[in-house]
Amino acid sequence: MRNKYSIFSLFKNALSYHENWQRAWKDPTPKKEYDAVIIGGGGHGLATAYYLAKKHNMQNIAVVEKGWIGGGNTGRNTTIIRSNYLWDASAGLYDHALKIWEGLSQELNYNVMFSQRGVMNLAHNLQDVRDLKRRTHANRLNGIDAVYLNTEEVKKFCPIINTSQDIRYPVLGGTLQRRAGTARHDAVAWGYARGADEMGVDIIQNCEVKGIKRNGDAVDGIETTKGFIKTKKIGVVAAGHSSVVANMAGLKLPLESKPLQALVSEPVKPIIDTVVMSNAVHAYVSQSDKGELVIGAGTDDYISYSQKGSHQIVEGTLNAILELYPIFSRMRMLRQWGGIVDICPDASPILSKTSIKGLYFNCGWGTGGFKATPGSGDLFAHTIANDEPHKLNAAFNLNRFVSGDLVDEHGAAAVAH
Amino acid sequence: MFLINCPYCGERDQQEFKAGGEAHIERPKQPTELSDDEWAEYLFMRKNIKGVQFERWNHAHGCRKWFNMARDTSNDEIKAIYKMGEKPPTQ
């Protein structure tokens, strides 16, 4: 039985100089066979395993990860959580996640540092104003909190924004979702890993999938760097590498994998207590609890798995940041990195069965998957366990690219692509 | 970020170029007879290869001509550049 994290356990362990804490999760060798295997040990994959074990009573399952837990996009994103998407299907999906976020630290007994500091989206031209007002109305019809702010209200909510009408792209207004915010990305992966491990899920790190074995129209198992693992159900949650895994099964996906960059500054005292995003000039910024400014840049337009982006992308974002926040002009940037994001043509994810029995894909989250982590795991677990999608993810099937019933969220996806 | 040797202008910085995605996807000859599955395949499905991939590029801020490239997407190394209409290199 796992020790519960609490003020008392902290105190107790302090007495022994914090040298006797339990391992948060085990390091098992893979069994010969599992009821289901999740490929990819990021937030979404671990959440899927957690909910499979917890809600669908599937404990004989494994998560295989080629690197280490949360070492991919889970640890590379800018941790923004919001649900102010335009269409009903997306609103249902992302707000389902947001509702789970609100109780996640208690549920996992792990502080994911969920902070509902609000997310503000800025409008810089008349079309932005119309689009954001439309989105605000759509959100409210779907029960998602959203308000439209004029320029003065934007300035009042975040005083360091330059609202001068003389800048190249002046701030004409913005939307605010107060329930939105940020969380600690590593903690989400670690919390789900610890929770899943406690229920008997095997988390197998440094185990790369090399092939998917099929038996006719159904899956039979996976070839990995740690040997063959037999299973009837495979959930692929491989983010930027989804197409690579799909190719192993002889499938093609409507995805393109591109580098997305982010950067953080040196830590400073609290200066911005919310998240501000701007699609038009492509700049978004928040401040971590350590004091670093967390800045998201855009994607490159070419396919790459190199986890490196182009310099001009970062330069463009910083130009926009400096015009909107002149106060940051002498900040120094500490780190800059790239992650590989799998982008769908309609900027919406895929949580779906495939033409191969027992093979499920959770991919296409593109530039904004972190916010959906708990909801994505919950709904994908439901899809795998029942071999049927939940009503909240039914619209996000692979067949929509054949039927034409796309969920176009290019406007609400924060990163233009 | 890398240098690209435009077949018309010579070596230039990558930011002068626009990536045009996977190359050699043939436009359907008889669009009226295509099934929904075939349309999906043509419009949306992509190989998205990790490794050497053939793709189209446009020298958008230069000569504005299109050309093809064989590039290793795992490390962004350019293997070959060839003109539109030419066959992809076999090596």
Side-chain angles (χ1 to χ4, degrees), chain A residues 235-290:
Chain A
V236 185
V237 201
H241 282 71
S242 297
S243 298
V244 177
V245 181
N247 290 344
M248 292 175 190
L251 283 180
K252 253 162 82 173
L253 295 173
L255 297 177
E256 289 192 315
S257 297
K258 295 175 176 179
L260 175 66
Q261 295 179 86
L263 55 162
V264 296
S265 72
E266 59 192 341
V268 290
K269 288 189 174 174
I271 182 75
I272 178 166
D273 62 355
T274 184
V275 183
V276 185
M277 320 184 72
S278 169
N279 281 20
V281 298
H282 211 294
Y284 59 97
V285 63
S286 63
Q287 191 171 18
S288 74
D289 289 7
K290 280 187 285 184

Coordinates of all heavy atoms in Angstrom, one line a residue, chain A residues 235-290:
Chain A
G235 N -3.5 0.9 -27.3 CA -3.8 2.3 -27.3 C -2.6 3.1 -27.6 O -1.6 3.1 -26.9
V236 N -2.6 3.8 -28.8 CA -1.4 4.5 -29.2 C -1.6 6.0 -28.8 O -2.5 6.7 -29.2 CB -1.1 4.4 -30.7 CG1 0.2 5.1 -31.0 CG2 -1.1 3.0 -31.1
V237 N -0.7 6.5 -27.9 CA -0.7 7.9 -27.4 C 0.7 8.4 -27.6 O 1.3 8.8 -26.6 CB -1.2 7.9 -26.0 CG1 -1.7 9.3 -25.6 CG2 -2.2 6.9 -25.6
A238 N 1.1 8.5 -28.9 CA 2.5 8.8 -29.1 C 2.8 10.2 -29.6 O 3.9 10.5 -30.1 CB 3.1 7.7 -30.1
A239 N 1.8 11.1 -29.6 CA 2.0 12.5 -30.0 C 2.7 12.6 -31.3 O 2.2 12.1 -32.3 CB 2.7 13.2 -28.9
G240 N 3.8 13.3 -31.3 CA 4.5 13.6 -32.6 C 4.9 12.3 -33.4 O 5.1 12.4 -34.6
H241 N 5.0 11.2 -32.7 CA 5.4 10.0 -33.3 C 4.3 9.1 -33.7 O 4.5 7.9 -34.0 CB 6.5 9.2 -32.5 CG 7.8 9.8 -32.6 ND1 8.1 11.1 -32.0 CD2 9.0 9.4 -33.2 CE1 9.4 11.3 -32.3 NE2 9.9 10.4 -33.0
S242 N 3.0 9.6 -33.6 CA 1.9 8.7 -33.9 C 1.9 8.1 -35.3 O 1.6 6.9 -35.5 CB 0.6 9.6 -33.8 OG 0.4 10.0 -32.5
S243 N 2.3 8.9 -36.3 CA 2.4 8.4 -37.7 C 3.4 7.3 -37.8 O 3.2 6.3 -38.6 CB 2.8 9.5 -38.7 OG 1.8 10.5 -38.7
V244 N 4.5 7.4 -37.0 CA 5.6 6.4 -37.1 C 5.0 5.0 -36.6 O 5.2 4.0 -37.2 CB 6.8 6.8 -36.2 CG1 7.8 5.7 -36.2 CG2 7.4 8.1 -36.7
V245 N 4.2 5.1 -35.5 CA 3.6 3.9 -34.9 C 2.5 3.4 -35.9 O 2.4 2.2 -36.2 CB 3.0 4.1 -33.5 CG1 2.4 2.8 -33.0 CG2 4.1 4.6 -32.6
A246 N 1.7 4.3 -36.5 CA 0.7 3.9 -37.4 C 1.3 3.2 -38.6 O 0.7 2.2 -39.1 CB -0.1 5.2 -37.9
N247 N 2.4 3.7 -39.1 CA 3.1 3.1 -40.2 C 3.4 1.6 -39.9 O 3.4 0.7 -40.8 CB 4.3 3.8 -40.7 CG 3.9 5.2 -41.3 OD1 2.8 5.4 -41.7 ND2 4.9 6.1 -41.4
M248 N 3.8 1.3 -38.7 CA 4.1 0.0 -38.3 C 2.9 -1.0 -38.4 O 3.1 -2.2 -38.7 CB 4.6 -0.1 -36.8 CG 5.9 0.6 -36.5 SD 6.1 0.6 -34.7 CE 7.5 1.7 -34.6
A249 N 1.7 -0.4 -38.3 CA 0.5 -1.2 -38.4 C 0.0 -1.2 -39.8 O -1.1 -1.7 -40.1 CB -0.5 -0.8 -37.4
G250 N 0.7 -0.4 -40.7 CA 0.2 -0.3 -42.1 C -0.9 0.7 -42.3 O -1.7 0.6 -43.2
L251 N -1.0 1.7 -41.4 CA -2.0 2.7 -41.5 C -1.4 4.0 -41.8 O -0.2 4.3 -41.5 CB -2.7 2.9 -40.1 CG -3.7 1.9 -39.7 CD1 -4.3 2.3 -38.3 CD2 -4.9 1.8 -40.7
K252 N -2.2 4.9 -42.4 CA -1.8 6.3 -42.6 C -2.7 7.2 -41.8 O -3.9 6.9 -41.8 CB -1.8 6.6 -44.1 CG -0.4 6.7 -44.7 CD -0.5 6.7 -46.2 CE -0.8 7.9 -47.0 NZ -0.6 7.8 -48.4
L253 N -2.2 8.2 -41.2 CA -3.0 9.2 -40.5 C -3.0 10.5 -41.1 O -2.0 10.9 -41.8 CB -2.5 9.3 -39.0 CG -2.5 8.0 -38.2 CD1 -1.8 8.2 -36.8 CD2 -4.0 7.6 -37.9
P254 N -4.0 11.3 -40.9 CA -4.0 12.7 -41.4 C -3.2 13.7 -40.6 O -3.7 14.7 -40.2 CB -5.5 13.0 -41.4 CG -6.0 12.3 -40.3 CD -5.2 11.0 -40.1
L255 N -2.0 13.3 -40.3 CA -1.1 14.1 -39.4 C 0.1 14.6 -40.1 O 0.7 14.0 -40.9 CB -0.7 13.3 -38.2 CG -1.8 12.8 -37.3 CD1 -1.2 11.9 -36.2 CD2 -2.6 13.9 -36.7
E256 N 0.6 15.8 -39.6 CA 1.9 16.2 -39.9 C 2.6 16.6 -38.6 O 2.0 17.3 -37.8 CB 1.9 17.4 -40.9 CG 1.4 17.0 -42.3 CD 1.6 18.1 -43.3 OE1 1.3 19.3 -43.0 OE2 2.1 17.8 -44.4
S257 N 3.9 16.1 -38.5 CA 4.6 16.4 -37.2 C 5.6 17.5 -37.4 O 6.4 17.5 -38.3 CB 5.4 15.1 -36.8 OG 4.5 14.1 -36.5
K258 N 5.4 18.6 -36.6 CA 6.2 19.8 -36.8 C 6.8 20.2 -35.5 O 6.2 20.0 -34.4 CB 5.3 20.9 -37.4 CG 4.8 20.5 -38.8 CD 3.8 21.5 -39.3 CE 3.5 21.2 -40.7 NZ 2.5 22.1 -41.3
P259 N 7.9 21.0 -35.5 CA 8.5 21.5 -34.3 C 7.7 22.7 -33.8 O 7.3 23.5 -34.5 CB 9.9 21.9 -34.7 CG 10.1 21.5 -36.1 CD 8.7 21.3 -36.7
L260 N 7.5 22.7 -32.5 CA 6.8 23.8 -31.8 C 7.8 24.2 -30.7 O 8.3 23.4 -29.9 CB 5.5 23.4 -31.2 CG 4.8 24.4 -30.4 CD1 4.3 25.6 -31.2 CD2 3.5 23.8 -29.7
Q261 N 8.1 25.5 -30.6 CA 9.1 26.0 -29.6 C 8.5 26.7 -28.5 O 7.4 27.3 -28.6 CB 10.1 26.9 -30.4 CG 10.9 26.2 -31.4 CD 11.8 27.1 -32.1 OE1 12.9 27.3 -31.6 NE2 11.4 27.7 -33.2
A262 N 9.2 26.7 -27.4 CA 8.8 27.5 -26.2 C 10.1 28.0 -25.6 O 11.2 27.5 -25.9 CB 8.0 26.7 -25.2
L263 N 10.0 29.0 -24.7 CA 11.2 29.5 -24.0 C 10.8 30.1 -22.7 O 9.7 30.4 -22.5 CB 12.0 30.5 -24.9 CG 11.3 31.7 -25.4 CD1 12.3 32.7 -25.9 CD2 10.4 31.4 -26.6
V264 N 11.8 30.1 -21.8 CA 11.5 30.7 -20.5 C 12.7 31.7 -20.2 O 13.8 31.5 -20.6 CB 11.5 29.7 -19.3 CG1 10.3 28.8 -19.5 CG2 12.7 28.9 -19.1
S265 N 12.3 32.7 -19.4 CA 13.2 33.8 -19.1 C 13.9 33.4 -17.7 O 13.6 32.4 -17.1 CB 12.5 35.1 -18.9 OG 11.7 35.0 -17.7
E266 N 14.8 34.3 -17.3 CA 15.3 34.2 -16.0 C 14.2 34.5 -15.0 O 13.2 35.1 -15.4 CB 16.4 35.3 -15.8 CG 15.9 36.7 -16.1 CD 17.0 37.7 -16.2 OE1 18.1 37.4 -15.7 OE2 16.7 38.8 -16.7
P267 N 14.3 33.9 -13.8 CA 13.2 34.2 -12.8 C 13.2 35.6 -12.3 O 14.3 36.1 -12.0 CB 13.4 33.2 -11.7 CG 14.9 32.7 -11.9 CD 15.3 33.0 -13.3
V268 N 12.0 36.2 -12.2 CA 11.8 37.5 -11.7 C 10.7 37.5 -10.7 O 9.9 36.5 -10.6 CB 11.6 38.6 -12.7 CG1 12.8 38.8 -13.6 CG2 10.4 38.2 -13.6
K269 N 10.5 38.6 -9.9 CA 9.4 38.7 -9.0 C 8.1 38.7 -9.8 O 8.0 39.0 -10.9 CB 9.5 40.0 -8.2 CG 10.7 39.9 -7.2 CD 10.7 41.0 -6.2 CE 11.8 40.7 -5.2 NZ 11.9 41.9 -4.3
P270 N 6.9 38.4 -9.1 CA 5.7 38.3 -9.7 C 5.3 39.6 -10.5 O 5.4 40.7 -10.0 CB 4.7 38.1 -8.6 CG 5.5 37.4 -7.6 CD 6.9 38.0 -7.7
I271 N 5.1 39.4 -11.8 CA 4.8 40.5 -12.7 C 3.5 40.3 -13.5 O 2.8 41.3 -13.8 CB 6.0 40.8 -13.6 CG1 5.8 42.1 -14.4 CG2 6.4 39.7 -14.4 CD1 5.9 43.4 -13.7
I272 N 3.2 39.1 -13.8 CA 2.0 38.8 -14.5 C 1.2 37.6 -13.9 O 1.8 36.5 -13.8 CB 2.3 38.6 -16.0 CG1 1.0 38.3 -16.8 CG2 3.4 37.5 -16.3 CD1 1.2 38.4 -18.3
D273 N 0.0 37.9 -13.4 CA -0.7 36.9 -12.6 C -1.8 36.1 -13.3 O -2.7 35.6 -12.8 CB -1.3 37.5 -11.3 CG -2.3 38.6 -11.7 OD1 -2.5 38.8 -12.9 OD2 -2.9 39.1 -10.7
T274 N -1.6 36.1 -14.7 CA -2.6 35.5 -15.5 C -1.9 34.9 -16.7 O -0.7 34.9 -16.8 CB -3.7 36.4 -15.9 OG1 -4.7 35.7 -16.6 CG2 -3.2 37.6 -16.7
V275 N -2.7 34.4 -17.7 CA -2.1 33.9 -18.9 C -2.6 34.8 -20.0 O -3.9 35.0 -20.1 CB -2.5 32.4 -19.2 CG1 -1.8 32.0 -20.5 CG2 -2.1 31.5 -18.1
V276 N -1.8 35.4 -20.8 CA -2.3 36.2 -21.9 C -1.8 35.6 -23.2 O -0.6 35.3 -23.4 CB -1.8 37.7 -21.8 CG1 -2.4 38.5 -22.9 CG2 -2.1 38.2 -20.4
M277 N -2.8 35.4 -24.1 CA -2.5 34.8 -25.4 C -2.9 35.7 -26.5 O -3.9 36.4 -26.4 CB -3.2 33.5 -25.6 CG -3.3 32.6 -24.3 SD -4.1 31.1 -24.6 CE -2.8 30.2 -25.5
S278 N -2.2 35.7 -27.6 CA -2.6 36.5 -28.7 C -2.3 35.7 -30.0 O -1.2 35.5 -30.4 CB -1.8 37.8 -28.7 OG -2.0 38.5 -30.0
N279 N -3.4 35.4 -30.7 CA -3.2 34.6 -31.9 C -2.6 35.4 -33.0 O -1.8 35.0 -33.8 CB -4.6 34.1 -32.4 CG -5.0 32.9 -31.7 OD1 -4.6 32.6 -30.6 ND2 -6.0 32.2 -32.3
A280 N -3.1 36.7 -33.2 CA -2.8 37.5 -34.4 C -1.3 37.8 -34.4 O -0.7 37.7 -35.5 CB -3.6 38.7 -34.4
V281 N -0.7 38.2 -33.3 CA 0.7 38.5 -33.4 C 1.6 37.3 -32.9 O 2.8 37.4 -32.9 CB 1.0 39.8 -32.5 CG1 0.3 41.0 -33.1 CG2 0.7 39.6 -31.1
H282 N 0.9 36.3 -32.5 CA 1.5 35.1 -32.1 C 2.5 35.2 -30.9 O 3.7 35.1 -31.0 CB 2.2 34.3 -33.2 CG 2.1 32.9 -32.9 ND1 2.8 32.4 -31.8 CD2 1.4 31.9 -33.4 CE1 2.5 31.1 -31.7 NE2 1.6 30.8 -32.6
A283 N 1.9 35.6 -29.8 CA 2.7 35.7 -28.6 C 1.8 35.3 -27.4 O 0.7 35.7 -27.3 CB 3.1 37.1 -28.4
Y284 N 2.3 34.4 -26.6 CA 1.6 34.1 -25.3 C 2.6 34.0 -24.2 O 3.7 33.5 -24.4 CB 0.5 33.0 -25.4 CG 1.0 31.7 -25.8 CD1 1.3 30.7 -24.8 CD2 1.1 31.3 -27.1 CE1 1.6 29.4 -25.1 CE2 1.5 30.0 -27.5 CZ 1.7 29.1 -26.5 OH 2.1 27.8 -26.8
V285 N 2.1 34.4 -23.0 CA 3.0 34.5 -21.9 C 2.3 34.2 -20.6 O 1.1 34.6 -20.4 CB 3.8 35.8 -21.9 CG1 2.8 37.0 -21.7 CG2 4.9 35.9 -20.8
S286 N 3.0 33.6 -19.7 CA 2.5 33.5 -18.3 C 3.7 33.4 -17.4 O 4.9 33.5 -18.0 CB 1.7 32.2 -18.1 OG 2.5 31.0 -18.4
Q287 N 3.6 33.4 -16.1 CA 4.7 33.3 -15.2 C 4.6 32.1 -14.4 O 3.6 31.8 -13.7 CB 4.8 34.6 -14.4 CG 6.1 34.7 -13.6 CD 6.3 36.1 -13.0 OE1 5.3 36.8 -12.7 NE2 7.5 36.4 -12.6
S288 N 5.7 31.3 -14.3 CA 5.7 30.1 -13.5 C 5.8 30.5 -12.0 O 6.2 31.6 -11.7 CB 6.8 29.2 -13.9 OG 8.1 29.7 -13.5
D289 N 5.6 29.5 -11.1 CA 5.7 29.8 -9.7 C 7.2 30.1 -9.3 O 7.4 30.7 -8.3 CB 5.2 28.6 -8.9 CG 3.6 28.5 -9.0 OD1 3.1 29.3 -9.8 OD2 3.0 27.7 -8.3
K290 N 8.1 29.6 -10.2 CA 9.5 29.9 -9.9 C 9.9 31.3 -10.3 O 10.9 31.8 -10.0 CB 10.4 29.0 -10.7 CG 10.6 27.6 -10.1 CD 11.6 26.8 -10.9 CE 11.0 26.3 -12.2 NZ 12.0 25.4 -12.9

